[in-house]
């Protein structure tokens, strides 16, 4: 018997996989990371198993540790347009920054993707945490955390109005009457704010979903408030059930304060599973990947997330907790807090900590047989911690295949995951309503 409430499962595609040393492993496909057919095939695999969406992270800066790992990415909206042509149902979620893009350009890009995919686009909204990005856009310094979120809130107001600037029936396309579009239903947005001045309207009609699905990935206090107001799906990182439950309850509570239905927000923690037939084999598999870690890369990653330079420290010595500045700029970042929680809870050595973070940059890494993975997913899903998961395979494509072929059937047997798609859009998959246009019934029209 099928449960009324169903898991959402996204496939978070990192070119080689999410373990930082995956590119060095014998099962990796590093030689295909610039091959569009590789990504099309991965998306087709996920669609065959009825996943909700594929998701691509992105950032407007090259990481300074590319010497030791695959750290560049293809531009995701371009890539998802190619994936759209090779798939029919799976959702297509791309990351784009509100700090380093302009709203009109981004609104055009995502509207185009939603049209080309017949309603499968989602936008992962980020404010960009990398301070180096500022120098790529002619800025003297990276805007502070709170200012980035203030800009993001205005940005969302602008792009929402642009996506709504054509009412649903504004496109007439009637050769007999000679009317292509009803201009009384195409609206200038006339936005004048602190950060943006945008007249509008958008130069493409309203999309199949009305608007792309709004996805958000920040878990700081600013990020939570932003997500509760705007997000329809939230990608988040948690190490424990209790932490995930607290986040879940807080977001749903804040959503109610914005007069939003909590059911219209899907909270999707990341999970990176090492899967084998027994626990011992799964542990050995994880050890294989951890043996390929390069300390120079791991310590650079840790420095970026905590601001602490541990070069020269004994990797097998205790982590120097007293050196962490919790009042500094990193202190407001959600990933920083997650790492500090691991240090305080587990008292790891430096090596133990970098191994914990190597698997998926602070997301939940779990090793075990398929039943154990399914049991944990079910526990989080049924106990107020998750509406589904962002599946982050440690390596590709094998890590995804193991999850899809061995864990998903267990979830289906338990009535927790769909056997087929019930609709064709990303909103259909997530069970989200199609929003009405802000301009429905409006009297203002473009001249």
């Amino acid at each position: 018997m099928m449960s009324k409430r169903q898991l959402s499962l996204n496939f978070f595609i990192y070119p080689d996989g999410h373990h930082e040393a995956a590119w060095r492993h014998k099962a990796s496909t590093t030689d295909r990371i610039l091959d569009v057919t590789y990504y099309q095939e991965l998306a087709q695999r996920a669609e065959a198993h009825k996943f909700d969406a594929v998701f691509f992270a992105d950032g407007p800066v090259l990481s300074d540790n590319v010497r030791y790992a695959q750290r560049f990415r293809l531009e995701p909206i371009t890539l998802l347009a190619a994936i759209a042509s090779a798939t029919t149902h799976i959702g297509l979620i791309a990351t784009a920054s509100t700090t380093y893009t302009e709203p009109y350009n981004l609104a055009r890009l995502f509207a185009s993707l939603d049209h080309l995919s017949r309603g499968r686009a989602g936008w992962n909204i980020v404010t960009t945490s990398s301070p180096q990005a500022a120098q790529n856009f002619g800025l003297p310094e990276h805007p502070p955390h709170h200012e980035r979120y203030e800009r993001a809130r205005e940005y969302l107001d602008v792009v929402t109005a642009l996506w709504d600037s054509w009412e649903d029936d504004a496109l007439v396309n009637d050769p007999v009457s000679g009317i292509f579009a009803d201009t009384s239903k195409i609206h200038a947005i006339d936005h004048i704010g602190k950060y943006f001045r945008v007249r509008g309207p958008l130069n493409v009609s309203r999309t199949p979903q009305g608007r792309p699905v709004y996805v958000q990935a920040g878990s700081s206090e600013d990020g939570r408030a932003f997500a509760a107001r705007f997000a329809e799906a939230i990608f988040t990182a948690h190490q424990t059930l209790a932490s995930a439950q607290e986040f879940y309850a807080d977001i749903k509570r804040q959503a109610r304060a914005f007069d939003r239905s909590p059911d219209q927000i899907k909270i999707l923690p990341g999970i990176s599973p090492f899967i084998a037939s027994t626990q011992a084999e799964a542990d050995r598999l994880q050890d294989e990947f951890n043996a390929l870690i390069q300390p120079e890369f791991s310590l650079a990653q840790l420095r970026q997330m905590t601001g602490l330079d541990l070069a020269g420290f004994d990797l097998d010595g205790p982590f120097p907790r007293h050196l962490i500045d919790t009042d500094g700029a990193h202190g407001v970042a959600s990933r920083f807090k997650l790492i500090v929680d691991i240090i305080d809870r587990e008292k790891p050595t430096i090596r133990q900590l970098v191994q914990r973070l190597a698997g998926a940059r602070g997301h939940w890494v779990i090793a075990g047989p398929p039943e154990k993975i399914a049991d944990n997913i079910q526990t989080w899903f049924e106990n107020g911690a998750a509406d589904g998961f962002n599946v982050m395979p440690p390596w590709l494509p094998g890590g995804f295949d193991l999850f899809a072929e061995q864990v998903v059937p267990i979830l289906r047997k338990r009535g927790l995951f769909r056997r087929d798609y019930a609709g064709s859009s990303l909103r259909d998959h997530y069970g989200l309503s199609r929003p009405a246009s802000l301009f429905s019934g409006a009297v203002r029209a473009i001249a």
Side-chain angles (χ1 to χ4, degrees):
M1 180 178 178
M2 294 296 286
S3 168
K4 182 178 180 182
R5 180 169 171 256
Q6 296 280 289
L7 280 161
S8 292
L9 294 177
N10 296 325
F11 178 11
F12 182 172
I13 299 177
Y14 223 64
D16 288 306
H18 286 270
H19 193 284
E20 68 183 42
W23 71 280
R24 302 184 67 199
H25 194 270
K26 60 188 178 183
S28 77
T29 49
T30 303
D31 59 326
R32 297 192 66 195
I33 61 175
L34 294 176
D35 177 356
V36 68
T37 64
Y38 168 62
Y39 299 101
Q40 290 172 327
E41 289 165 11
L42 290 174
Q44 288 168 342
R45 281 180 160 111
E47 185 169 79
H49 291 282
K50 314 307 177 186
F51 272 53
D52 293 66
V54 291
F55 163 56
F56 289 88
D58 194 41
V61 63
L62 177 65
S63 298
D64 58 10
N65 47 17
V66 70
R67 175 182 176 90
Y68 298 107
Q70 190 290 106
R71 298 292 290 161
F72 61 83
R73 302 187 183 100
L74 294 169
E75 193 284 311
I77 302 175
T78 303
L79 182 55
L80 286 171
I83 289 173
S85 70
T87 55
T88 58
H89 282 74
I90 196 161
L92 310 168
I93 302 174
T95 299
S97 172
T98 59
T99 306
Y100 295 109
T101 61
E102 287 295 318
Y104 196 92
N105 287 343
L106 181 135
R108 288 188 70 205
L109 288 166
F110 275 102
S112 298
L113 179 61
D114 205 48
H115 277 295
L116 293 174
S117 65
R118 296 182 176 88
R120 295 187 278 143
W123 171 29
N124 181 39
I125 306 158
V126 299
T127 64
T128 301
S129 60
S130 302
Q132 313 97 295
Q135 297 174 36
N136 291 337
F137 294 88
L139 298 181
E141 60 183 6
H142 191 49
H145 188 272
H146 183 73
E147 182 180 319
R148 298 200 308 274
Y149 272 97
E150 184 181 49
R151 174 186 165 102
R153 286 187 286 272
E154 184 179 339
Y155 197 113
L156 263 288
D157 290 339
V158 176
V159 295
T160 298
L162 286 170
W163 282 324
D164 286 358
S165 60
W166 288 60
E167 295 183 43
D168 285 321
D169 54 352
L171 181 59
V172 178
N173 195 17
D174 182 11
V176 176
S177 68
I179 302 298
F180 181 75
D182 183 346
T183 52
S184 70
K185 296 181 178 182
I186 304 173
H187 306 275
I189 70 169
D190 293 326
H191 177 90
I192 300 175
K194 180 177 179 180
Y195 296 98
F196 306 107
R197 296 174 64 94
V198 182
R199 181 174 186 267
L202 198 61
N203 59 351
V204 64
S205 60
R206 199 158 193 250
T207 75
Q209 295 189 107
R211 304 166 202 151
V213 172
Y214 291 173
V215 182
Q216 193 265 356
S219 298
S220 65
E221 290 306 310
D222 282 333
R224 291 186 186 205
F226 184 86
R229 177 180 170 187
F230 293 108
E232 296 170 294
I234 301 173
F235 298 159
T236 182
H238 296 281
Q239 292 284 325
T240 66
L241 174 64
S243 170
Q245 288 171 322
E246 183 278 325
F247 178 84
Y248 188 98
D250 183 49
I251 291 294
K252 302 285 183 171
R253 176 189 59 78
Q254 290 196 51
R256 292 186 188 96
F258 283 108
D259 199 27
R260 298 185 62 198
S261 168
D263 293 338
Q264 291 293 296
I265 304 177
K266 302 298 179 184
I267 297 179
L268 309 169
I271 181 171
S272 186
F274 285 90
I275 302 167
S277 58
T278 68
Q279 185 64 53
E281 289 174 358
D283 290 339
R284 282 197 296 272
L285 180 63
Q286 185 173 8
D287 289 343
E288 268 185 35
F289 281 81
N290 285 341
L292 299 173
I293 290 173
Q294 299 179 92
E296 297 91 340
F297 178 86
S298 301
L299 294 178
Q301 289 282 90
L302 192 61
R303 184 176 67 247
Q304 289 178 4
M305 291 188 280
T306 66
L308 192 60
D309 187 353
L310 296 177
F313 280 68
D314 178 6
L315 292 180
D316 295 309
F319 191 94
R321 171 66 172 84
H322 62 284
L323 296 180
I324 294 182
D325 178 13
T326 55
D327 297 321
H330 285 84
V332 297
S334 57
R335 202 58 55 88
F336 173 87
K337 294 177 181 178
L338 181 149
I339 293 168
V340 172
D341 285 347
I342 293 174
I343 296 167
D344 290 342
R345 185 174 62 249
E346 301 177 14
K347 307 294 190 296
T349 65
I350 297 173
R351 189 185 304 277
Q352 288 169 338
L353 180 64
V354 298
Q355 288 180 345
R356 283 291 306 274
L357 300 177
R361 305 169 305 285
H363 286 276
W364 183 27
V365 178
I366 180 171
E371 292 79 8
K372 175 184 174 180
I373 309 302
D375 288 346
N376 277 270
I377 287 173
Q378 183 170 0
T379 296
W380 284 41
F381 180 60
E382 293 181 343
N383 289 277
D387 295 309
F389 288 87
N390 229 11
V391 180
M392 305 169 63
W395 79 100
L396 291 174
F400 174 78
D401 291 339
L402 284 171
F403 183 89
E405 294 168 6
Q406 297 187 22
V407 178
V408 169
I410 298 173
L411 298 174
R412 282 204 180 100
K413 187 175 181 180
R414 297 178 184 181
L416 298 172
F417 188 63
R418 69 173 67 87
R419 295 184 180 276
D420 203 353
Y421 292 112
S424 59
S425 74
L426 181 53
R427 290 187 177 278
D428 290 335
H429 305 339
Y430 282 161
L432 300 173
S433 59
R434 187 179 188 275
S437 169
L438 295 171
F439 294 98
S440 295
V443 296
R444 295 191 301 133
I446 183 173

